[in-house]
Amino acid sequence: AVVSTQSGHYGRDIEKAEKEDIDNYKCVIEDCCSGNKEEITVEILVPEETCQDVYGVGHVVFGATWVFRNWTAAIADCESKGLELALPKNEEENAQLQRDLQASFETHPNAAKFAHENWCWIAATDEETEDTWLAVKDNEPLTYFNWDKKQPDNKDLPLLQKGKNQNIVGNSNLARTQNVAGIHRGTGMWDDSFVHYKRPYACLCPTD
């Protein structure tokens, strides 16, 4: 197996791979008779260990998951672990979530491929009534917001994409307008988005 690194270096000792080497591996199959080679790139993910300090992230309140999932799948994944998708309820919690996301981004091996993805899901939606944002956990109206400039804008799905995306998530209004929310890991500001977009996210860690 050949380890592909972000710097373009290739090595043959998997045991010596550093964290930046874990993003993907290139398997090279060579026919000893003809000399023909076939290269297959395989993505390798290490265990998430979302809320544990196993990758040097330190103590976190919100454990990041560096996997591309749509908003609904992100909620389901947190719930499958007995957790809930992150949703800051005040300025302090919002700052904590941003710090935890950034700390995890800088240390977690699975985060390497997310350098150009700044947005992470949070558990807020205005699916039921436009501009009435509710918490997923209890369906109660939010009392804290940290919207970015000119957000939320409830942008419509581009016409050229509507047919394709409706096939993905059905004919729900969620498929056509921006009715779910995300947080920017660099600024902590919020934006509304389309439910079918795939992004990383964080779960609220247990306190005990």
Side-chain angles (χ1 to χ4, degrees):
V2 179
V3 180
S4 171
T5 71
Q6 289 181 321
S7 62
H9 173 73
Y10 293 91
R12 294 186 179 275
D13 296 325
I14 292 178
E15 293 80 5
K16 297 179 181 179
E18 301 294 336
K19 68 177 184 180
E20 63 266 23
D21 301 328
I22 301 176
D23 194 24
N24 58 72
Y25 288 81
K26 181 174 288 185
C27 180
V28 180
I29 302 173
E30 183 176 357
D31 187 323
C32 61
C33 298
S34 67
N36 293 331
K37 293 182 180 180
E38 181 177 356
E39 297 184 355
I40 304 172
T41 299
V42 181
E43 182 181 30
I44 303 295
L45 298 177
V46 300
E48 293 173 6
E49 302 293 356
T50 303
C51 292
Q52 300 180 34
D53 182 16
V54 294
Y55 301 116
V57 68
H59 171 73
V60 294
V61 176
F62 301 97
T65 296
W66 300 104
V67 176
F68 281 114
R69 289 192 172 102
N70 64 41
W71 184 78
T72 304
I75 292 172
D77 182 62
C78 288
E79 291 179 347
S80 73
K81 300 170 184 174
L83 308 174
E84 61 186 77
L85 186 63
L87 178 63
K89 298 178 177 62
N90 52 54
E91 185 176 352
E92 181 180 0
E93 289 186 6
N94 199 78
Q96 181 71 55
L97 174 56
Q98 183 195 353
R99 286 195 300 270
D100 289 350
L101 286 169
Q102 196 60 31
S104 180
F105 174 74
E106 293 171 357
T107 59
H108 200 297
N110 291 350
K113 67 179 181 181
F114 290 86
H116 301 293
E117 177 55 74
N118 294 312
W119 293 99
C120 301
W121 293 126
I122 56 176
T125 176
D126 69 343
E127 175 191 7
E128 292 187 7
T129 304
E130 184 60 34
D131 290 329
T132 299
W133 287 86
L134 306 177
V136 170
K137 181 179 180 179
D138 54 18
N139 213 38
E140 290 294 320
L142 302 188
T143 57
Y144 170 79
F145 307 92
N146 197 42
W147 296 115
D148 206 349
K149 186 178 181 180
K150 297 183 180 179
Q151 300 299 330
D153 58 5
N154 195 40
K155 186 181 298 182
D156 285 333
L157 192 69
L159 290 175
L160 293 178
Q161 298 181 26
K162 283 187 177 179
K164 175 182 177 181
N165 289 317
Q166 283 175 359
N167 289 334
I168 296 174
V169 293
N171 294 318
S172 167
N173 185 49
L174 279 173
R176 300 190 296 272
T177 58
Q178 295 182 317
N179 286 339
V180 295
I183 183 173
H184 192 286
R185 64 173 171 81
T187 67
M189 304 304 292
W190 297 8
D191 183 26
D192 57 341
S193 186
F194 298 108
V195 69
H196 63 274
Y197 280 7
K198 293 184 177 181
R199 292 173 168 171
Y201 52 95
C203 306
L204 176 62
C205 296
T207 56
D208 53 8

